[in-house]
Amino acid sequence: MSRPLVALALAALVVTGLAPLAVMLLRIEGADLAGIFDARTASLLGRTLLLGIGTAAMALLVGLPFGFLVARTDVPGAGVLRALGVAPLFFPPLILAMTWCVLLPAFRGAPAAIFVLGLSTFPLVAVFSARAFERVDAAQEEAALLCGGLRAVLRMELPLALPAALCGTCLAFAFAVNDFGVPDYVSSVGVKFNVYADEIKFNWSQIRRPGKPVATALPLIVLTLGALVPALALRRRGALATLGHGFRQPGTLKLGAWRWPAFAFAAAVVLLAAGVPVLRLLWEAANMPAHVRDADASPGAKLALGWSTLREAFGLAFEKARADLRRSLLYAAAAAAACAPLGLVLGHAIERARSRAAGRALELACLLPLAAPAILFGIGIITLWNHDATARFYDSGWMAVVLLAGRFAVFPILICAGAAASFDRALEDAATLSGARPARRLGAIVAPALRGSLVAGFVLVFVFAMRDLDSAILVPAMNKTAIFRVFNGVHFGRDSYVAALSLVLLFAVVTPGLLWTLFARKRLEVLP
Amino acid sequence: MSDAVRMRGVAVHAGGERLLGPLDLDVAEGEHLLLVGPSGSGKTTLLRAIAGLAPTSAGTVELFGEPAGPPEKRGIGFLFQGGALWPHMSVAGTLRFTLRSSGVGAGDVPARIAELLEQVELTGFDARMPATLSGGEKQRLALARALAVRPRLLLLDEPLGPLDAELRAALLERLGALHRELGCTTIHVTHDPEEASRIATRTLHLRGGRLANGESKA
């Protein structure tokens, strides 16, 4: 572990991720705390808890069986379903909310928010579960198979995979309770479903007292940490455990008569979470609802009209939002590029810290920017940087990069920490004995071995930066991005242009992961 | 009396590579067959083919005069190389799980667990987790699990592999005693020809996935 490198990385983490939170905490005054225990706050907390628990339950109930089926069984098209099943995590939740609220206009309030966020976060549970089910030793599985068939296999493996699934569930909960865009959108018509994130934004934009939104957010931070700390503990307790020597990959389990029903379940999940939103957006981008209503036109003419509208809508989207899209791509790529080395240094430091307590403390510190509500993080950025002396920086694109890097650096850090835990320490010791200094060991021995994890960290930061709305909504530098334009578009009149822009944004979000999957030999290693 | 195992023209392929056979094998009921061969000779694959864990690409397998069914219906106890113990289950939990999965009624389970633990000399170890057991204790727990299904055919894959000389001798003696007590047919795989020759009734050599000439009888 290179001390200068770790110190440098820590300094970067403090400036980008921790200082915005610290500066907000310092603004709390006694009067701000008065309101956090009143009935209104309790009611908001109750609604937010309902959203978090509902989303987490849906993510677990869908993600666990989905992960098992696509990773371990002979369900038809398992590989394709597995790849497509990750897609909803890459989609901005706002876009999912948009499509489902149009398809089911009466579906609003808490059930709609839980449904949309459940669809958006189930891949977290599915990916973690799939990896856990793949890591059951073949001989252990065969021992269960011999004594009771597939049922015994499931009963034996479920407790082994459950910690990983719960780890994903905790993350789903944390994402849900901090989401602002989806509850706000599904409440824009009909039943109002206010949650904590709404309240924080309201307190900031209406009252303009910096301490008030922070004080309001404190219970939510506790709630989020209450979900994220167990997730870390589960990771450490072997939820994503390294494999022992002599591990043999388990074979494909045969479902027999359940093969096609299982396929129907997995395909329905992918269709609901990814297929329907994309198809609906295409339908809207082609303005098909209007063309279909045209009684005089033949089906062929309607399709031709739709195709023509689709091309126009995409043309308009590129013309009007080209600069915003370019800015989104630049900011996201720059933030991801900055976070990757941070992930390597701090992730390695977490695993190789001299004392366990120091490693844990560092891990928790890295987690804080994500544990704080996104909207509060954005307010912290404003409070920290919106001064005369830093005005030029605050208004520039660099501000956006710092915001996104500070918020999402935790992904590559935890991914690299997991990978470093699986990395044979003897390889580093051998380099030490040959005289390599810590920084050289990190660069020449550890980094090449963790390449797949570093790229996975880059892709995750890029994806979340591209789809981030909540932390960006109040920061001027982030107000000229593609997702912000979509947000404005859906609130001020939806048309084929907004749908086309959403599709362009979706394509831009999935592109790096898609390119890596298509052309790189090494797979993305999000989990060790 | 029918053969416990009757294999005709059995072959196993994986990824286009031949791992085993084609071979014929007969094992009489009550026999303790020692199957010897170097690493990679196909010993484990042969056991897995008998158990139904390795799909055969050719040939037929009959057990006790019947065509072999799915793995869990074959009445086979399998002691896996390295034990393959379930890390999240205690000693008693492992046996309880095996017994319940193989259809033993809940009321009979405690007595059967006690009996099995006594058979493998692990009485009092009920609450211990696999990670806290020594190498010999782990192998005996794996043996107890294999015996829990009251197997008509016991398959032992390098059962003495990870143990030191003293423990090997003790476990070998236990295996011999159990074979005499239970009378179940046993196929014992090892790379060491000396390992179990004194308790085996017959020894076969496997090389390159085929049974070599020079079968020897004890």
Side-chain angles (χ1 to χ4, degrees):
Chain A
M1 195 167 62
S2 164
R3 285 187 182 174
L5 271 182
V6 173
L8 201 65
L10 261 178
L13 178 75
V14 168
V15 171
T16 60
L18 298 178
L21 300 178
V23 80
M24 292 302 290
L25 282 173
L26 294 174
R27 297 288 179 98
I28 299 179
E29 294 168 10
D32 298 325
L33 292 168
I36 67 170
F37 300 111
D38 62 17
R40 177 178 158 70
T41 313
S43 143
L44 276 171
L45 195 62
R47 279 199 290 276
T48 308
L49 258 177
L50 172 74
L51 179 66
I53 291 171
T55 301
M58 181 172 161
L60 181 66
L61 290 175
V62 175
L64 182 62
F66 184 87
F68 171 73
L69 289 173
V70 298
R72 293 300 322 284
T73 69
D74 61 345
V75 69
V80 176
L81 289 170
R82 186 175 187 172
L84 291 176
V86 183
L89 190 63
F90 290 7
F91 293 0
L94 177 69
I95 289 180
L96 291 181
M98 275 164 54
T99 51
W100 278 105
C101 284
V102 168
L103 286 169
L104 305 169
F107 190 46
R108 297 278 174 168
I114 288 170
F115 177 73
V116 167
L117 287 170
L119 285 182
S120 170
T121 54
F122 92 87
L124 289 165
V125 181
V127 168
F128 281 42
S129 307
R131 198 74 176 124
F133 279 117
E134 281 174 335
R135 309 200 126 213
V136 177
D137 189 80
Q140 290 172 2
E141 182 170 290
E142 287 163 2
L145 189 71
L146 279 175
C147 70
L150 187 61
R151 185 175 289 190
V153 169
L154 283 173
R155 279 179 50 217
M156 187 279 285
E157 291 188 356
L158 199 57
L160 287 176
L162 208 53
L166 289 176
C167 194
T169 307
C170 289
L171 291 178
F173 177 90
F175 280 122
V177 295
N178 282 297
D179 197 274
F180 162 76
V182 171
D184 176 67
Y185 185 82
V186 301
S187 303
S188 54
V189 177
V191 185
K192 200 75 187 151
F193 181 59
N194 281 352
V195 288
Y196 239 106
D198 274 330
E199 183 73 359
I200 296 166
K201 181 170 180 281
F202 172 80
N203 276 331
W204 171 254
S205 53
Q206 302 295 316
I207 301 172
R208 286 275 170 184
R209 212 167 71 200
K212 182 70 179 165
V214 193
T216 313
L218 286 176
L220 188 54
I221 295 173
V222 172
L223 202 64
T224 310
L225 280 175
L228 291 178
V229 170
L232 289 184
L234 285 166
R235 182 183 82 82
R236 288 202 168 274
R237 278 189 55 203
L240 316 171
T242 53
L243 304 174
H245 290 293
F247 171 80
R248 189 159 52 86
Q249 193 80 35
T252 302
L253 291 166
K254 306 221 177 305
L255 292 173
W258 288 98
R259 194 163 174 249
W260 286 103
F263 169 76
F265 165 76
V269 168
V270 168
L271 198 67
L272 289 178
V276 169
V278 169
L279 290 174
R280 176 68 208 183
L281 285 174
L282 269 172
W283 185 258
E284 280 183 39
N287 201 18
M288 287 309 285
H291 300 322
V292 166
R293 280 196 298 271
D294 184 356
D296 299 333
S298 66
K302 287 174 186 173
L303 276 177
L305 267 175
W307 175 243
S308 161
T309 315
L310 189 69
R311 290 178 57 187
E312 277 172 29
F314 273 104
L316 192 64
F318 277 116
E319 188 190 316
K320 282 173 82 170
R322 182 180 289 127
D324 292 349
L325 198 61
R326 194 171 53 229
R327 266 190 292 272
S328 283
L329 287 167
L330 265 177
Y331 297 164
C339 287
L342 212 60
L344 176 67
V345 175
L346 292 180
H348 183 259
I350 284 172
E351 280 306 317
R352 299 289 190 257
R354 294 227 167 115
S355 79
R356 217 166 75 162
R360 297 266 171 96
L362 180 55
E363 195 175 43
L364 196 61
C366 295
L367 203 60
L368 283 173
L370 193 69
I375 208 148
L376 181 71
F377 190 80
I379 296 171
I381 287 280
I382 296 170
T383 312
L384 184 66
W385 295 104
N386 188 15
H387 305 288
D388 291 341
T390 51
R392 281 187 65 187
F393 173 75
Y394 179 70
D395 290 330
S396 73
W398 291 109
M399 184 73 265
V401 176
V402 164
L403 181 149
L404 295 169
R407 175 96 176 132
F408 298 122
V410 63
F411 292 130
I413 291 171
L414 291 184
I415 290 171
C416 288
S422 314
F423 184 63
D424 189 354
R425 197 169 186 157
L427 300 181
E428 288 179 68
D429 293 341
T432 308
L433 291 175
S434 69
R437 300 180 75 81
R440 184 164 164 69
R441 292 201 298 270
L442 193 68
I445 308 293
V446 181
L450 268 57
R451 198 179 59 194
S453 303
L454 283 168
V455 177
F458 178 95
V459 168
L460 267 189
V461 174
F462 178 88
V463 164
F464 276 84
M466 283 294 287
R467 52 170 262 184
D468 184 65
L469 175 68
D470 296 0
S471 62
I473 201 161
L474 298 170
V475 180
M478 286 288 290
N479 285 177
K480 289 170 188 158
T481 55
I483 184 70
F484 198 80
R485 195 174 265 269
V486 171
F487 178 72
N488 276 339
V490 295
H491 276 79
F492 299 108
R494 260 179 89 162
D495 51 20
S496 52
Y497 150 73
V498 175
L501 180 60
S502 302
L503 282 169
V504 171
L505 181 62
L506 279 187
F507 183 73
V509 170
V510 299
T511 297
L514 200 67
L515 287 177
W516 181 267
T517 309
L518 288 176
F519 299 112
R521 286 187 185 164
K522 201 163 171 59
R523 58 187 278 186
L524 291 175
E525 288 165 5
V526 177
L527 301 175
Chain B
M1 188 188 291
S2 62
D3 282 332
V5 179
R6 185 179 165 85
M7 300 173 90
R8 288 291 175 268
V10 168
V12 176
H13 288 78
E17 195 185 340
R18 183 181 62 83
L19 301 180
L20 184 73
L23 58 74
D24 298 341
L25 176 68
D26 294 315
V27 183
E29 272 196 58
E31 200 175 355
H32 188 132
L33 174 70
L34 190 65
L35 204 57
V36 182
S39 293
S41 59
K43 306 183 298 291
T44 299
T45 307
L46 176 57
L47 289 192
R48 288 167 49 77
I50 293 171
L53 298 172
T56 54
S57 48
T60 57
V61 180
E62 285 181 15
L63 300 176
F64 303 98
E66 303 279 337
E72 66 273 20
K73 306 279 186 203
R74 295 188 181 195
I76 284 176
F78 200 130
L79 196 160
F80 289 86
Q81 194 170 8
L85 295 174
W86 299 314
H88 55 305
M89 293 187 200
S90 67
V91 169
T94 298
L95 298 178
R96 187 179 304 112
F97 178 86
T98 309
L99 290 165
R100 294 290 287 136
S101 297
S102 59
V104 175
D108 299 331
V109 166
R112 285 281 290 132
I113 291 176
E115 182 191 339
L116 285 162
L117 291 179
E118 194 182 332
Q119 275 179 343
V120 298
E121 297 175 340
L122 280 179
T123 302
F125 283 66
D126 307 47
R128 296 271 294 272
M129 298 302 285
T132 68
L133 300 176
S134 68
E137 288 160 355
K138 282 180 185 165
Q139 285 300 87
R140 279 184 279 151
L141 173 59
L143 179 61
R145 183 178 65 185
L147 295 173
V149 297
R150 291 199 194 277
R152 295 175 74 191
L153 176 61
L154 186 60
L155 306 177
L156 309 173
D157 190 2
E158 302 274 7
L160 312 180
L163 308 179
D164 62 33
E166 198 177 330
L167 285 172
R168 286 164 79 99
L171 187 60
L172 196 57
E173 194 175 316
R174 189 96 290 269
L175 285 172
L178 282 170
H179 184 246
R180 285 191 299 277
E181 279 170 34
L182 305 173
C184 66
T185 310
T186 304
I187 303 178
H188 179 148
V189 151
T190 177
H191 64 276
D192 177 6
E194 301 299 313
E195 181 174 290
S197 53
R198 65 192 169 86
I199 61 168
T201 53
R202 186 161 62 117
T203 302
L204 288 176
H205 295 268
L206 201 63
R207 280 204 186 83
R210 294 174 200 265
L211 287 170
N213 292 333
E215 175 182 315
S216 56
K217 295 198 183 203

